[in-house]
Amino acid sequence: MAQADAISILLVEDDEAARANIATILSDAGMVVEQAIDGATGLNRAGGGSHDVIILDRMLPHLSGIDIVTRLRVAGVGAPVLMLSALGRSEHRVEGLESGVDDYLAKPFEPDELVARVRALWRRASRRSHEPVLLFGDLECHVKARTAFRQGKHLPLSPKEFELFRYLMEHAGEVVTREMLLRQVWKLSFDPQTNVVDVNVGRLRRKLEDGIDGPVLETVWGTGYRLIAAAGAGASSA
């Protein structure tokens, strides 16, 4: 994830003047802003999973902000989402938050508050990725030591397998798509048309399940992969 002074933002806003104003506010605060002008384009770009924070206008052409965040959550995209809307009544905010939005800011807003809200979302999301030890069920990922365990048994992972395991642990319980793994683990912005992800997931799965009953890494057909808590093991995080 990017450093705090280079937070990567996807801004989806159809009003040209509002989009330019928001982009300027965020850029002046040291953030990197990618822009989309309608819901369909915004969903396509957000699905890549490469942004630290996504900002959605609520009322957009083609797909509303609510539709976008609902589809992103179903697809397993966990990036924090801030919704901007002229609809600022309590029931509107509740509907937005229940759809999967992480924060809701009514228009008009103060520029300083927008920047503060975005930074707060980024800090909250990045905290988990900086935990020294990630725990999920009977799995452990010791980030600094770059070691992994299941039921206390050390797992001999290669460097790339550890990066894959760490990313899955950071998104434990969520569906992680093949595109997300290519971008975040292999640092590729394109599909090389190879089975590198499938091969490494297969190797990692065998090591995770070697000699231990109960699958922990499942394939979500047509979508990606998900770590699941083994039967009898509680899910938690450090």
Side-chain angles (χ1 to χ4, degrees):
M1 186 170 286
Q3 296 301 309
D5 61 351
I7 300 172
S8 172
I9 306 291
L10 173 63
L11 169 62
V12 188
E13 168 65 73
D14 62 315
D15 185 277
E16 184 175 358
R19 187 173 66 253
N21 180 50
I22 295 169
T24 298
I25 292 169
L26 299 174
S27 297
D28 288 348
M31 302 178 192
V32 177
V33 184
E34 180 181 355
Q35 302 179 37
I37 63 174
D38 59 62
T41 305
L43 176 64
N44 183 52
R45 294 184 182 175
S50 61
H51 304 93
D52 295 324
V53 177
I54 298 170
I55 299 177
L56 297 176
D57 183 27
R58 177 164 179 152
M59 294 176 286
L60 292 164
H62 308 312
L63 280 176
S64 72
I66 295 286
D67 291 332
I68 292 173
V69 75
T70 300
R71 296 189 187 195
L72 289 175
R73 297 316 186 217
V74 169
V77 177
V81 174
L82 170 63
M83 180 163 285
L84 303 178
S85 178
L87 302 177
R89 292 165 54 179
S90 175
E91 58 265 35
H92 298 138
R93 295 196 299 271
V94 169
E95 182 185 16
L97 293 167
E98 289 190 341
S99 72
V101 166
D102 299 276
D103 197 2
Y104 195 106
L105 183 59
K107 299 177 180 176
F109 50 80
E110 293 296 327
D112 289 347
E113 182 176 7
L114 172 64
V115 171
R117 297 272 193 121
V118 170
R119 285 180 170 154
L121 284 175
W122 179 85
R123 284 196 300 271
R124 199 181 308 157
S126 63
R127 191 173 300 128
R128 186 176 181 188
S129 67
H130 288 83
E131 293 284 359
V133 180
L134 302 174
L135 304 176
F136 183 71
D138 56 7
L139 298 170
E140 299 176 36
C141 177
H142 295 242
V143 177
K144 290 185 178 180
R146 297 182 63 81
T147 53
F149 299 85
R150 184 176 181 196
Q151 294 184 3
K153 175 186 175 183
H154 176 254
L155 303 174
L157 304 183
S158 70
K160 188 57 69 179
E161 289 166 355
F162 178 80
E163 290 301 322
L164 175 60
F165 178 64
R166 173 181 174 176
Y167 188 75
L168 290 166
M169 286 289 282
E170 290 173 349
H171 297 271
E174 303 172 6
V175 177
V176 175
T177 67
R178 191 170 183 275
E179 290 72 22
M180 292 165 70
L181 294 174
L182 283 171
R183 187 182 298 274
Q184 300 298 330
V185 178
W186 278 268
K187 310 303 180 188
L188 294 174
S189 58
F190 62 95
D191 188 340
Q193 300 296 313
T194 70
N195 61 350
V196 61
V197 172
D198 311 275
V199 169
N200 279 274
V201 167
R203 289 174 180 162
L204 177 61
R205 178 184 284 119
R206 287 192 290 275
K207 291 182 179 180
L208 291 175
E209 300 175 1
D210 181 28
I212 301 175
D213 291 334
V216 292
L217 178 52
E218 69 172 8
T219 298
V220 182
W221 293 110
T223 304
Y225 307 94
R226 174 170 53 199
L227 277 181
I228 55 176
S236 61
S237 61

